[in-house]
Amino acid sequence: MKLQRLSWAGLKVESDGQVLLIDAVQNYRRGASIGPENPVQFVSDTAADAVLITHLHSDHYDPEAIRAVLKPEGKFIASEAIVPELTADGFAPTGVSLNETRRYGNFAVTPVFAMDGVGDKQVSWVIEADGQRILHGGDTMWHNQFWQLGKTWQHFDAVFLPVNGAVVNIPRVAPTPVPITLTPIQAVTVARLLHADVLVPIHYGFHKEGMYHQHPQMEEEMARESLAQQVKVLWTEPGSGVVLPVVAADA
């Protein structure tokens, strides 16, 4: 697999000329929306064979970009739980049930359990191609299925997990001091429970005082915890390729 980190939680995956996008957003609505000021521009030079989203929040779901990049024969793949909403938006998505593996060209994709911080419908995605396996965690918070996911899948070449431990004050939910996404210590722990060769942090770098607070000293805590739990962390700038480590077969 050839991997490229896009903005925020976005990821581009290539296999033998085929392209899969997940949570790829270019059009972040300004104002109260969450997301980077200068997102990676990918729409003009991308033709996607498959598009996945973890959930419907505007920092993970960009209908305009999806319409622009998806090939006429391409597949828009989503959890069956959000198919009605996507259909209402004018798409003809392929709905997949939890833990059901589907193959699209070179890619095998499986939606697995995730927990949204404000109670909306969300999944994480297991993506397999070229003998490698990754997990994309959307913006999940901590939940009690990570142990089972580790037992089921046994190994990941990389896990892409939110690390910003966001504490929010937004109109539709009562404010609390409890993070709605994984914190640094939680993300590192998840990577260990999933037996991942490397953790690639995503979903960080946005802070808006009084509305959306990123975990304080995020990078310092990641460094401490990755050392304590012996988890390799690969910080990757948006727009850059993700080079997975080569791990010996007997490691």
CSV table of all heavy atoms in Angstrom, one decimal, residues 162-166 182-185 188 201-206 214-225 235:
chain,number,residue,atom,x,y,z
A,162,PRO,N,-7.1,9.3,16.2
A,162,PRO,CA,-7.2,10.6,16.7
A,162,PRO,C,-6.4,10.7,18.0
A,162,PRO,O,-6.4,9.8,18.8
A,162,PRO,CB,-8.7,10.9,17.0
A,162,PRO,CG,-9.2,9.5,17.2
A,162,PRO,CD,-8.4,8.6,16.3
A,163,VAL,N,-5.7,11.8,18.3
A,163,VAL,CA,-4.9,12.0,19.5
A,163,VAL,C,-5.2,13.3,20.2
A,163,VAL,O,-4.5,13.5,21.2
A,163,VAL,CB,-3.4,11.9,19.1
A,163,VAL,CG1,-3.1,10.5,18.5
A,163,VAL,CG2,-3.0,13.0,18.2
A,164,ASN,N,-6.1,14.1,19.8
A,164,ASN,CA,-6.2,15.4,20.3
A,164,ASN,C,-7.1,15.6,21.5
A,164,ASN,O,-7.2,16.7,22.1
A,164,ASN,CB,-6.7,16.4,19.2
A,164,ASN,CG,-8.1,16.2,18.8
A,164,ASN,OD1,-8.6,15.0,18.9
A,164,ASN,ND2,-8.8,17.2,18.2
A,165,GLY,N,-7.7,14.5,22.0
A,165,GLY,CA,-8.4,14.5,23.2
A,165,GLY,C,-9.3,15.7,23.4
A,165,GLY,O,-9.3,16.5,24.4
A,166,ALA,N,-10.2,16.0,22.3
A,166,ALA,CA,-10.9,17.2,22.2
A,166,ALA,C,-11.9,17.4,23.3
A,166,ALA,O,-12.7,16.5,23.6
A,166,ALA,CB,-11.6,17.3,20.9
A,182,LEU,N,-10.0,10.2,21.4
A,182,LEU,CA,-8.9,9.6,22.1
A,182,LEU,C,-7.9,10.7,22.6
A,182,LEU,O,-7.6,11.6,21.8
A,182,LEU,CB,-8.2,8.6,21.3
A,182,LEU,CG,-9.0,7.3,20.9
A,182,LEU,CD1,-8.1,6.5,19.9
A,182,LEU,CD2,-9.3,6.5,22.1
A,183,THR,N,-7.4,10.5,23.8
A,183,THR,CA,-6.3,11.4,24.3
A,183,THR,C,-5.0,10.7,23.9
A,183,THR,O,-5.0,9.5,23.4
A,183,THR,CB,-6.4,11.5,25.8
A,183,THR,OG1,-6.2,10.2,26.4
A,183,THR,CG2,-7.8,12.0,26.3
A,184,PRO,N,-3.9,11.4,24.1
A,184,PRO,CA,-2.6,10.7,23.7
A,184,PRO,C,-2.4,9.4,24.4
A,184,PRO,O,-2.0,8.4,23.8
A,184,PRO,CB,-1.6,11.8,24.1
A,184,PRO,CG,-2.3,13.1,23.9
A,184,PRO,CD,-3.7,12.8,24.4
A,185,ILE,N,-2.6,9.3,25.7
A,185,ILE,CA,-2.3,8.1,26.4
A,185,ILE,C,-3.3,7.0,26.0
A,185,ILE,O,-2.9,5.8,25.8
A,185,ILE,CB,-2.5,8.3,28.0
A,185,ILE,CG1,-2.0,7.0,28.7
A,185,ILE,CG2,-3.8,8.7,28.4
A,185,ILE,CD1,-1.9,7.1,30.2
A,188,VAL,N,-2.1,5.7,22.4
A,188,VAL,CA,-1.0,4.9,22.5
A,188,VAL,C,-1.4,3.5,23.0
A,188,VAL,O,-0.9,2.4,22.5
A,188,VAL,CB,0.1,5.5,23.4
A,188,VAL,CG1,1.2,4.5,23.7
A,188,VAL,CG2,0.7,6.7,22.7
A,201,PRO,N,-0.6,9.5,14.2
A,201,PRO,CA,-1.6,10.4,14.8
A,201,PRO,C,-2.3,11.1,13.7
A,201,PRO,O,-1.7,11.6,12.7
A,201,PRO,CB,-0.7,11.3,15.6
A,201,PRO,CG,0.5,10.6,15.9
A,201,PRO,CD,0.8,9.8,14.7
A,202,ILE,N,-3.6,11.3,13.9
A,202,ILE,CA,-4.5,12.1,13.0
A,202,ILE,C,-5.4,12.9,13.9
A,202,ILE,O,-5.4,12.8,15.1
A,202,ILE,CB,-5.3,11.2,12.0
A,202,ILE,CG1,-6.2,10.3,12.8
A,202,ILE,CG2,-4.4,10.5,11.0
A,202,ILE,CD1,-7.3,9.6,11.9
A,203,HIS,N,-6.2,13.8,13.3
A,203,HIS,CA,-7.2,14.5,14.0
A,203,HIS,C,-6.6,15.4,15.1
A,203,HIS,O,-7.0,15.3,16.3
A,203,HIS,CB,-8.2,13.5,14.5
A,203,HIS,CG,-9.6,14.1,14.8
A,203,HIS,ND1,-9.9,14.7,16.0
A,203,HIS,CD2,-10.7,14.2,14.0
A,203,HIS,CE1,-11.2,15.1,15.9
A,203,HIS,NE2,-11.7,14.8,14.7
A,204,TYR,N,-5.7,16.2,14.7
A,204,TYR,CA,-5.1,17.2,15.7
A,204,TYR,C,-4.6,18.4,14.9
A,204,TYR,O,-4.6,18.5,13.7
A,204,TYR,CB,-3.9,16.5,16.4
A,204,TYR,CG,-2.7,16.2,15.5
A,204,TYR,CD1,-1.7,17.2,15.3
A,204,TYR,CD2,-2.6,15.0,14.9
A,204,TYR,CE1,-0.6,16.9,14.4
A,204,TYR,CE2,-1.5,14.7,14.0
A,204,TYR,CZ,-0.5,15.7,13.8
A,204,TYR,OH,0.5,15.4,13.0
A,205,GLY,N,-4.3,19.5,15.7
A,205,GLY,CA,-3.8,20.7,15.1
A,205,GLY,C,-4.8,21.8,15.0
A,205,GLY,O,-4.6,22.8,14.3
A,206,PHE,N,-6.0,21.6,15.6
A,206,PHE,CA,-7.1,22.7,15.6
A,206,PHE,C,-7.4,23.0,17.0
A,206,PHE,O,-7.7,22.1,17.8
A,206,PHE,CB,-8.3,22.2,14.8
A,206,PHE,CG,-9.4,23.2,14.8
A,206,PHE,CD1,-9.5,24.3,13.9
A,206,PHE,CD2,-10.5,23.1,15.7
A,206,PHE,CE1,-10.5,25.2,14.0
A,206,PHE,CE2,-11.5,24.0,15.8
A,206,PHE,CZ,-11.6,25.0,14.9
A,214,GLN,N,-7.9,21.5,22.2
A,214,GLN,CA,-7.0,20.3,22.0
A,214,GLN,C,-6.3,20.0,23.3
A,214,GLN,O,-6.1,20.9,24.1
A,214,GLN,CB,-6.0,20.7,20.9
A,214,GLN,CG,-5.0,19.6,20.6
A,214,GLN,CD,-4.2,19.8,19.4
A,214,GLN,OE1,-4.7,19.6,18.3
A,214,GLN,NE2,-2.9,20.3,19.5
A,215,HIS,N,-6.0,18.7,23.5
A,215,HIS,CA,-5.4,18.2,24.7
A,215,HIS,C,-4.1,19.0,25.0
A,215,HIS,O,-3.2,19.1,24.1
A,215,HIS,CB,-5.1,16.7,24.6
A,215,HIS,CG,-4.6,16.1,25.8
A,215,HIS,ND1,-5.5,15.6,26.8
A,215,HIS,CD2,-3.4,15.8,26.3
A,215,HIS,CE1,-4.8,15.1,27.8
A,215,HIS,NE2,-3.5,15.2,27.5
A,216,PRO,N,-3.9,19.6,26.2
A,216,PRO,CA,-2.6,20.3,26.4
A,216,PRO,C,-1.4,19.4,26.5
A,216,PRO,O,-1.5,18.2,26.9
A,216,PRO,CB,-2.9,20.9,27.8
A,216,PRO,CG,-3.9,20.0,28.4
A,216,PRO,CD,-4.8,19.5,27.3
A,217,GLN,N,-0.3,19.9,26.0
A,217,GLN,CA,1.0,19.2,25.9
A,217,GLN,C,0.8,17.8,25.3
A,217,GLN,O,1.3,16.8,25.7
A,217,GLN,CB,1.6,19.0,27.4
A,217,GLN,CG,2.1,20.2,28.0
A,217,GLN,CD,1.0,21.1,28.7
A,217,GLN,OE1,0.3,20.6,29.5
A,217,GLN,NE2,1.0,22.4,28.3
A,218,MET,N,0.1,17.8,24.2
A,218,MET,CA,-0.3,16.6,23.4
A,218,MET,C,1.0,15.9,23.0
A,218,MET,O,1.1,14.7,23.3
A,218,MET,CB,-1.2,17.0,22.2
A,218,MET,CG,-1.5,15.8,21.4
A,218,MET,SD,-2.4,16.3,19.9
A,218,MET,CE,-1.0,17.2,19.0
A,219,GLU,N,1.9,16.5,22.4
A,219,GLU,CA,3.1,15.9,21.8
A,219,GLU,C,4.0,15.3,23.0
A,219,GLU,O,4.5,14.2,22.8
A,219,GLU,CB,3.8,16.8,20.9
A,219,GLU,CG,3.1,17.1,19.6
A,219,GLU,CD,3.9,17.9,18.6
A,219,GLU,OE1,5.1,17.9,18.7
A,219,GLU,OE2,3.3,18.6,17.8
A,220,GLU,N,4.1,16.1,24.0
A,220,GLU,CA,4.9,15.7,25.1
A,220,GLU,C,4.3,14.4,25.8
A,220,GLU,O,5.1,13.5,26.1
A,220,GLU,CB,5.0,16.8,26.2
A,220,GLU,CG,5.8,18.0,25.7
A,220,GLU,CD,5.0,19.0,25.0
A,220,GLU,OE1,3.9,18.7,24.6
A,220,GLU,OE2,5.5,20.1,24.8
A,221,GLU,N,3.0,14.4,25.9
A,221,GLU,CA,2.4,13.2,26.5
A,221,GLU,C,2.5,12.0,25.6
A,221,GLU,O,2.8,10.8,26.0
A,221,GLU,CB,0.9,13.4,26.8
A,221,GLU,CG,0.3,12.3,27.5
A,221,GLU,CD,-1.1,12.6,28.1
A,221,GLU,OE1,-1.3,13.6,28.7
A,221,GLU,OE2,-2.0,11.8,27.8
A,222,MET,N,2.4,12.2,24.3
A,222,MET,CA,2.6,11.1,23.3
A,222,MET,C,4.0,10.5,23.4
A,222,MET,O,4.2,9.3,23.4
A,222,MET,CB,2.4,11.6,21.9
A,222,MET,CG,0.9,11.9,21.6
A,222,MET,SD,-0.1,10.4,21.3
A,222,MET,CE,0.7,9.8,19.8
A,223,ALA,N,5.0,11.4,23.6
A,223,ALA,CA,6.4,10.9,23.7
A,223,ALA,C,6.6,10.1,24.9
A,223,ALA,O,7.2,9.0,24.9
A,223,ALA,CB,7.3,12.1,23.7
A,224,ARG,N,6.0,10.6,26.1
A,224,ARG,CA,6.2,9.8,27.3
A,224,ARG,C,5.5,8.5,27.2
A,224,ARG,O,6.1,7.4,27.6
A,224,ARG,CB,5.6,10.6,28.5
A,224,ARG,CG,6.4,11.8,28.9
A,224,ARG,CD,5.9,12.3,30.3
A,224,ARG,NE,4.5,12.6,30.3
A,224,ARG,CZ,4.0,13.8,30.0
A,224,ARG,NH1,4.8,14.8,29.6
A,224,ARG,NH2,2.7,14.0,30.1
A,225,GLU,N,4.3,8.5,26.7
A,225,GLU,CA,3.5,7.2,26.7
A,225,GLU,C,4.0,6.2,25.7
A,225,GLU,O,4.0,5.0,25.9
A,225,GLU,CB,2.0,7.5,26.5
A,225,GLU,CG,1.3,8.1,27.7
A,225,GLU,CD,1.4,7.2,28.9
A,225,GLU,OE1,1.3,6.0,28.8
A,225,GLU,OE2,1.7,7.8,30.0
A,235,TRP,N,4.8,10.6,13.5
A,235,TRP,CA,4.1,11.9,13.1
A,235,TRP,C,4.3,12.2,11.7
A,235,TRP,O,5.4,12.1,11.2
A,235,TRP,CB,4.7,13.1,14.0
A,235,TRP,CG,4.5,13.0,15.4
A,235,TRP,CD1,5.3,12.4,16.4
A,235,TRP,CD2,3.3,13.4,16.1
A,235,TRP,NE1,4.7,12.5,17.6
A,235,TRP,CE2,3.5,13.1,17.5
A,235,TRP,CE3,2.1,14.0,15.7
A,235,TRP,CZ2,2.5,13.4,18.5
A,235,TRP,CZ3,1.1,14.3,16.7
A,235,TRP,CH2,1.3,14.0,18.0
